Amino acid sequence: MICGGALCIERCACSQPKTATDNVVLLVLQYDIDSLKGSVPKDSDLEFTFLDSLLDATTAILAVDHEAVCLFVNDRCDESVLNILHKHGVKYIVLRCAGFNNVDLPTAAKFGIKVARVPAYSPEAVAEFTIGMLLTVIRKYHKAYNRVREGNFLLDGLLGFNLSGKTVGIIGTGKIGLLTGKILANGFNCKVIAYDPYPSPLAQGYGITYVDALDDLLKASDIISLHCPLTDSTEYIINDNSISKMKKGVVLINTSRGALIDTYALIRALKSGHVSAVGLDVFEREQAYFFADSSSKVIHDDSFARLLTFYNVFMTGHQAFLTSEALKNIADTTIQNLRNLEATGTCPNIVDKSS
């Protein structure tokens, strides 16, 4: 199997003869390598080849002699990539994440390539990170840290506000959205409202109240946190029109998918002051920069560079998932998906064009 996202190529050695590349390992993201290797049962014949490049049309050829490809969020698996994978006999694509928007599912189905994902690894990891990011942007921890290290103990410019009593809107109430709402409602005494086309029966017990329409949430919320998947219907769900319906001074948090937000619309709202603070763990064109050291490079994406200049934007590099518990769950589920696919041709976490 080939794993992109600076990860690995794995294969099931049981069905193909060994080649000279079976045990080649390029150490890149050590935490992923360690977690995957640690989750392979002793009686398994799965073997990994680790690569340091994202999967795209130029790197897909590296999947030759492998049966499966393991992807992360920024790997590209469109029609051109799938054509190459199919040509070289790849049968399975396993995602180390819940989202699958980067895979062309109809084309995969046409080629008979099975696709599986990790539907839930550690919702607590992302929910807790979301709360930390929210507290950072409203209480300015990052700015205070830098000041104190420089011997500056002035409090000017560090004014924040209480979370208690504020209305927080949660867009998307899967496991992460529900847990985020629960922490805010029960831990911080927030009024938590939510919008989701498919309401969860757990929400009420978590202290979350659904609104009938997205516009209702936009108009009522002091803080809005995004927890929905990236689909055709949610792409740019935050845009000029939706921002215009929000309260002046609203705080936005996104730990889900970058393309939920129209970056240019967000920049306009920041410049006008309509949005007062933003926490982003994702960016719509992050694949060109995230999970790599670009400190000695020029950021050519002007909108990304512009975002980084705002004093009230706090950005991290897609790390909300990064806890030891989450990595173990991701690795365990990924390995189990592979074993099920090899044994039966399917698994409980299969995704297809109807998903």
Side-chain angles (χ1 to χ4, degrees):
M1 160 187 293
I2 183 171
C3 295
L7 253 174
C8 63
I9 299 178
E10 288 180 32
R11 58 172 287 192
C12 300
C14 54
S15 60
Q16 295 189 27
K18 289 182 179 293
T19 72
T21 62
D22 280 347
N23 298 314
V24 172
V25 177
L26 302 178
L27 301 181
V28 184
L29 301 180
Q30 193 62 50
Y31 55 80
D32 277 313
I33 295 172
D34 291 344
S35 62
L36 281 167
K37 282 187 172 182
S39 292
V40 178
K42 292 182 178 180
D43 62 347
S44 173
D45 45 20
L46 284 173
E47 295 185 7
F48 297 80
T49 305
F50 295 90
L51 300 179
D52 63 351
S53 55
L54 292 171
L55 178 65
D56 58 26
T58 62
T59 60
I61 185 64
L62 297 173
V64 65
D65 294 330
H66 295 77
E67 292 185 282
V69 179
C70 185
L71 313 184
F72 198 48
V73 293
N74 288 327
D75 291 294
R76 196 176 81 193
C77 199
D78 57 17
E79 184 176 6
S80 63
V81 172
L82 286 163
N83 269 297
I84 298 169
L85 298 181
H86 174 64
K87 178 181 177 182
H88 292 291
V90 170
K91 298 190 294 185
Y92 313 120
I93 293 171
V94 288
L95 294 145
R96 302 188 309 280
C97 52
F100 47 87
N101 55 282
N102 54 338
V103 179
D104 183 341
L105 294 177
T107 299
K110 181 179 73 173
F111 289 141
I113 298 175
K114 301 292 180 64
V115 181
R117 63 172 180 150
V118 180
Y121 33 93
S122 177
E124 293 85 1
V126 183
E128 291 168 10
F129 189 90
T130 301
I131 301 302
M133 178 165 271
L134 173 57
L135 287 169
T136 298
V137 299
I138 66 174
R139 298 304 304 269
K140 304 175 178 62
Y141 297 150
H142 55 314
K143 296 182 181 299
Y145 171 80
N146 288 329
R147 282 192 188 183
V148 169
R149 285 181 62 85
E150 295 174 352
N152 180 353
F153 299 95
L154 287 175
L155 300 183
D156 294 345
L158 300 181
L159 183 66
F161 61 81
N162 292 356
L163 276 176
S164 180
K166 296 298 185 295
T167 299
V168 181
I170 303 290
I171 302 179
T173 52
K175 291 182 178 180
I176 296 171
L178 284 173
L179 282 174
T180 302
K182 180 181 180 181
I183 295 169
L184 288 165
N186 298 325
F188 290 90
N189 193 35
C190 294
K191 176 184 178 182
V192 180
I193 59 177
Y195 174 76
D196 194 312
Y198 307 97
S200 169
L202 298 175
Q204 185 175 3
Y206 284 6
I208 302 169
T209 302
Y210 283 104
V211 294
D212 294 330
L214 178 59
D215 282 1
D216 296 333
L217 181 146
L218 299 175
K219 294 173 183 177
S221 300
D222 301 301
I223 299 158
I224 295 175
S225 189
L226 303 178
H227 299 283
C228 46
L230 179 60
T231 64
D232 289 342
S233 62
T234 61
E235 184 174 12
Y236 289 174
I237 194 170
I238 303 301
N239 52 49
D240 284 311
N241 182 49
S242 58
I243 291 173
S244 70
K245 298 172 182 176
M246 299 177 190
K247 290 183 177 181
K248 183 175 176 57
V250 67
V251 174
L252 290 178
I253 306 292
N254 186 10
T255 55
S256 188
R257 286 292 183 266
L260 297 175
I261 297 178
D262 179 343
T263 303
Y264 295 103
L266 178 59
I267 289 171
R268 286 189 285 270
L270 284 163
K271 291 172 69 175
S272 71
H274 195 89
V275 172
S276 67
V278 179
L280 300 174
D281 187 47
V282 289
F283 173 67
E284 60 174 310
R285 291 177 293 279
E286 67 182 55
Q287 61 269 24
Y289 303 100
F290 284 19
F291 305 111
D293 182 1
S294 297
S295 59
S296 61
K297 301 176 184 177
V298 173
I299 294 179
H300 292 283
D301 188 312
D302 289 342
S303 64
F304 187 29
R306 185 70 177 95
L307 273 180
L308 294 174
T309 68
F310 285 100
Y311 76 95
N312 50 353
V313 172
F314 177 64
M315 183 175 287
T316 52
H318 208 137
Q319 72 174 82
F321 75 97
L322 193 60
T323 66
S324 56
E325 294 85 354
L327 289 177
K328 185 178 188 320
N329 291 339
I330 289 170
D332 287 347
T333 304
T334 298
I335 297 301
Q336 192 57 54
N337 285 345
L338 282 168
R339 300 190 82 188
N340 288 342
L341 286 166
E342 183 68 11
T344 68
T346 188
C347 72
N349 299 320
I350 207 87
V351 292
D352 55 37
K353 59 185 178 181
S354 64
S355 297

